[in-house]
């Protein structure tokens, strides 16, 4: 069965601190795709990154970085020098293809990040 | 442009009302999705349309009726809802994958801002 676990329900940091959001996944597939989304209080899910399982290079985008480790089935997300605008719920998701039907995302439970000034 | 629009932003309806939620995208995507999200929970997939055909129905009650009039539009018709149906309804779109495709789901889904529905 495919599953995504985000063990941290809530994290609270002070502005300018670094913070890491954990994501652990389970899948029997040898190749797969992982995603991170941000959901601010307004409600819209904002796409952050997509990573395929055969590319283990870490990714950096400004203050955001992602650490993918296939050996531990983890795809962690780090925000460097956090800002109040980073306050949101962050979801990690695993792509699942259902043959002859279509694709779907398996979401983790989400981590609510609160960045205080 | 990665914009998906949804109307209305907020909706209050009684249990006997009929209403519709609308979703639109102009990215040329051929897959569109409806999700339901309760507070403090991840989105739950309801329906998937692929090339304007319903491809996935996650055992959603018949009081929710999806419709895909064309490749840019997706509707969700609501009838005789229950208070527990109150939630944020999110629409998403992605590039399509043809029926019979094996392999891995790799298409990025882009979400709209959602409709906050309250059923009284």
């Amino acid at each position: 069965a495919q599953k995504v676990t985000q063990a941290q329900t809530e994290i609270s940091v002070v502005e300018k601190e670094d913070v890491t959001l954990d994501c652990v996944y389970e899948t029997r597939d040898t190749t797969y795709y992982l995603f991170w989304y941000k959901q601010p209080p307004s409600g819209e899910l904002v796409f952050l990154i997509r990573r395929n399982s055969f590319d283990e290079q870490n990714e950096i985008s400004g203050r955001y970085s992602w650490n993918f480790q296939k050996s531990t089935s983890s795809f962690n997300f780090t925000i460097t020098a956090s800002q109040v605008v980073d306050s949101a719920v962050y979801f990690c998701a695993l792509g699942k293809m259902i043959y002859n039907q279509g694709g779907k995302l398996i979401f983790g439970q989400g981590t609510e990040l609160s960045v205080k000034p | 442009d990665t914009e998906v629009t949804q109307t209305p932003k907020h909706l209050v309806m009684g249990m006997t009302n009929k209403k519709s939620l609308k979703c639109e995208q102009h990215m040329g995507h051929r897959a569109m999705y409806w999700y339901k999200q309760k507070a403090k929970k991840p989105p739950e997939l309801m329906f998937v349309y692929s090339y304007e055909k319903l491809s996935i129905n996650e055992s959603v009650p018949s009081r929710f009726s999806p419709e895909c009039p064309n490749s840019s539009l997706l509707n969700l018709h609501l009838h005789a809802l229950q208070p527990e149906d109150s939630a944020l309804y999110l629409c998403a779109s992605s590039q399509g994958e043809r029926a019979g495709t094996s392999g891995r789901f790799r298409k990025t889904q882009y979400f709209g801002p959602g409709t906050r529905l309250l059923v009284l």
Side-chain angles (χ1 to χ4, degrees):
Chain A
Q2 290 170 294
K3 184 180 176 183
V4 176
T5 301
Q6 294 179 257
Q8 305 149 307
T9 306
E10 296 179 9
I11 299 177
S12 182
V13 299
V14 176
E15 210 170 16
K16 297 184 184 176
E17 283 185 26
D18 298 347
V19 58
T20 296
L21 283 59
D22 298 332
C23 173
V24 174
Y25 60 91
E26 296 175 27
T27 180
R28 292 181 183 172
D29 295 337
T30 53
T31 58
Y32 45 87
Y33 286 77
L34 294 159
F35 304 80
W36 274 95
Y37 285 87
K38 172 183 179 181
Q39 187 173 37
S42 59
E44 179 176 354
L45 266 81
V46 178
F47 166 69
L48 296 178
I49 191 171
R50 181 187 73 178
R51 170 50 52 94
N52 62 57
S53 58
F54 44 88
D55 181 1
E56 292 200 59
Q57 268 194 315
N58 290 333
E59 180 110 6
I60 298 175
S61 176
R63 296 184 297 107
Y64 295 172
S65 63
W66 289 268
N67 184 325
F68 173 52
Q69 294 205 348
K70 204 168 180 177
S71 59
T72 56
S73 298
S74 65
F75 186 39
N76 296 337
F77 172 34
T78 297
I79 302 174
T80 303
S82 59
Q83 299 176 1
V84 173
V85 293
D86 296 327
S87 297
V89 180
Y90 291 86
F91 290 99
C92 180
L94 173 65
K96 176 180 178 179
M97 178 62 79
I98 304 171
Y99 183 76
N100 226 22
Q101 291 186 40
K104 59 189 288 185
L105 293 174
I106 309 297
F107 283 95
Q109 290 299 303
T111 297
E112 184 172 7
L113 174 65
S114 176
V115 182
K116 301 187 186 308
Chain B
D1 184 10
T2 56
E3 187 177 79
V4 176
T5 59
Q6 289 187 244
T7 55
K9 289 186 179 176
H10 300 273
L11 179 62
V12 180
M13 60 186 290
M15 289 190 284
T16 58
N17 292 157
K18 285 185 182 181
K19 296 286 184 183
S20 297
L21 309 185
K22 296 186 185 302
C23 174
E24 190 168 5
Q25 57 87 15
H26 294 288
M27 295 178 276
H29 289 168
R30 302 304 296 274
M32 296 186 76
Y33 310 79
W34 278 117
Y35 287 86
K36 173 183 177 180
Q37 187 180 24
K38 302 285 268 185
K40 304 284 189 183
K41 295 290 186 183
E44 296 175 26
L45 183 66
M46 299 174 72
F47 302 104
V48 179
Y49 272 84
S50 180
Y51 294 88
E52 295 87 68
K53 292 188 177 171
L54 183 64
S55 60
I56 297 178
N57 177 343
E58 295 280 79
S59 303
V60 179
S62 60
R63 57 185 184 269
F64 296 91
S65 175
E67 179 196 20
C68 189
N70 59 56
S71 60
S72 300
L73 291 172
L74 185 66
N75 299 322
L76 186 62
H77 302 297
L78 314 173
H79 174 55
L81 294 193
Q82 303 296 310
E84 59 264 29
D85 296 322
S86 299
L88 177 67
Y89 287 83
L90 293 161
C91 173
S93 71
S94 73
Q95 292 179 342
E97 302 215 42
R98 287 288 180 187
T101 301
S102 60
R104 312 311 163 209
F105 181 64
R106 59 184 182 275
K107 306 300 184 184
T108 298
Q109 293 184 24
Y110 295 94
F111 285 79
T115 294
R116 293 192 186 274
L117 174 66
L118 178 61
V119 181
L120 300 175

